[in-house]
């Protein structure tokens, strides 16, 4: 819980009463590897703060291939924010890559925080902006780069994930086959 509060305080000031209110609205949730936090076609139930574990954002292209385009790990918010706010069906999947522990807020609880804490909308907007900026910086690189360059960029952007994420997901993120990724890794060593 303290990691969540520490994170939020980077974006605005809260008094102890406000902090206690936020804590009272958070619920712990554990997901096993491969469980979905949010699924395409369903309305997202929660916004979450990752305490332990790794999530990936993915979708299926028009050929039915699963495409991973983003990873999130500890001490970050995870949500399909636009669809959560609108209570509209998600178009992408958010899946646990590892066993995960998180703090979650339902739409009702998130709205209660918004309606109770003065300037929460500004704090939430700053958090959302940071998350979106990171997402754009970390999104799968353009296909115009060669596989080796994309892999080296992945290592730079996600140094703590390479030993935690299956190579099949790394290959999907990079837009290469697993065999190509194996060759790239072999040539770099």
């Amino acid at each position: 819980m303290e990691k969540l509060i520490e994170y939020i305080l980077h974006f605005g000031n809260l008094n102890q009463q406000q902090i206690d209110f936020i804590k009272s609205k958070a619920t712990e949730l554990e997901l096993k590897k491969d469980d979905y936090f949010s699924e395409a076609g369903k309305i997202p139930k929660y916004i979450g703060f990752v305490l332990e574990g790794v999530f990936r954002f993915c979708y299926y292209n028009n050929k039915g291939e699963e495409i991973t385009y983003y990873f999130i790990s500890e001490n970050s918010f995870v949500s399909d924010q636009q669809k959560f706010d609108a209570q509209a069906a998600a178009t992408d999947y958010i899946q646990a890559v590892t066993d995960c522990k998180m703090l979650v807020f339902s739409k009702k609880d998130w709205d209660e925080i918004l309606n109770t804490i003065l300037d929460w909308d500004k704090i939430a907007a700053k958090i959302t902006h940071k998350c979106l900026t990171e997402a754009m910086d970390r999104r799968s690189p353009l296909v115009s780069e060669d596989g080796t360059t994309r892999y080296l960029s992945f290592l730079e952007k996600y140094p703590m994930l390479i030993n935690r994420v299956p190579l099949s997901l790394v290959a999907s993120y990079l837009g290469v086959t697993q065999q190509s990724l194996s060759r790239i890794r072999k040539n770099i060593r």
Side-chain angles (χ1 to χ4, degrees):
M1 191 73 75
E2 295 313 311
K3 290 283 188 192
L4 168 66
I5 300 305
E6 188 180 304
Y7 184 88
I8 291 171
L9 289 175
H10 286 292
F11 301 95
N13 295 318
L14 298 170
N15 63 36
Q16 191 57 50
Q17 185 180 5
Q18 293 168 323
I19 290 170
D20 292 342
F21 185 70
I22 292 169
K23 287 180 177 181
S24 75
K25 296 298 177 185
T27 306
E28 286 194 26
L29 177 68
E30 291 189 17
L31 294 176
K32 295 290 182 200
K33 179 183 178 200
D34 298 329
D35 286 351
Y36 288 101
F37 179 67
S38 178
E39 293 182 73
K42 296 182 179 178
I43 296 171
K45 294 179 185 176
Y46 304 109
I47 182 170
F49 184 78
V50 183
L51 299 172
E52 294 177 20
V54 179
F55 287 91
R56 72 180 180 124
F57 285 66
C58 63
Y59 64 93
Y60 289 88
N61 68 14
N62 58 5
K63 296 177 187 171
E65 300 166 329
E66 187 179 87
I67 308 295
T68 297
Y69 65 90
Y70 187 54
F71 293 102
I72 287 185
S73 60
E74 290 85 0
N75 301 317
S76 296
F77 273 96
V78 61
S79 75
D80 187 335
Q81 193 66 43
Q82 228 178 1
K83 303 297 185 185
F84 177 79
D85 287 341
Q87 287 295 277
T91 53
D92 295 345
Y93 295 86
I94 303 174
Q95 184 180 35
V97 176
T98 63
D99 289 348
C100 296
K101 288 184 183 173
M102 57 196 316
L103 296 170
V104 296
F105 300 90
S106 68
K107 176 69 171 146
K108 177 181 172 283
D109 288 335
W110 193 253
D111 287 346
E112 282 183 30
I113 294 169
L114 178 65
N115 294 326
T116 303
I117 296 178
L118 188 66
D119 291 335
W120 179 255
D121 57 335
K122 292 178 182 143
I123 293 171
K126 288 177 186 175
I127 291 170
T128 301
H129 177 74
K130 181 181 189 312
C131 293
L132 288 174
T133 302
E134 285 178 0
M136 295 312 287
D137 289 347
R138 290 184 173 187
R139 270 193 183 241
S140 184
L142 297 173
V143 181
S144 61
E145 296 177 346
D146 66 73
T148 302
T149 304
R150 290 189 301 234
Y151 180 67
L152 292 171
S153 293
F154 175 84
L155 292 176
E156 188 178 312
K157 291 176 186 174
Y158 297 107
M160 304 307 290
L161 296 187
I162 195 62
N163 295 323
R164 298 173 69 192
V165 174
L167 291 180
S168 60
L169 298 183
V170 175
S172 170
Y173 174 83
L174 297 175
V176 300
T177 64
Q178 260 188 280
Q179 295 85 348
S180 295
L181 180 57
S182 293
R183 272 194 304 279
I184 291 166
R185 289 167 48 98
K186 183 179 171 188
N187 290 338
I188 289 174
R189 287 188 190 132

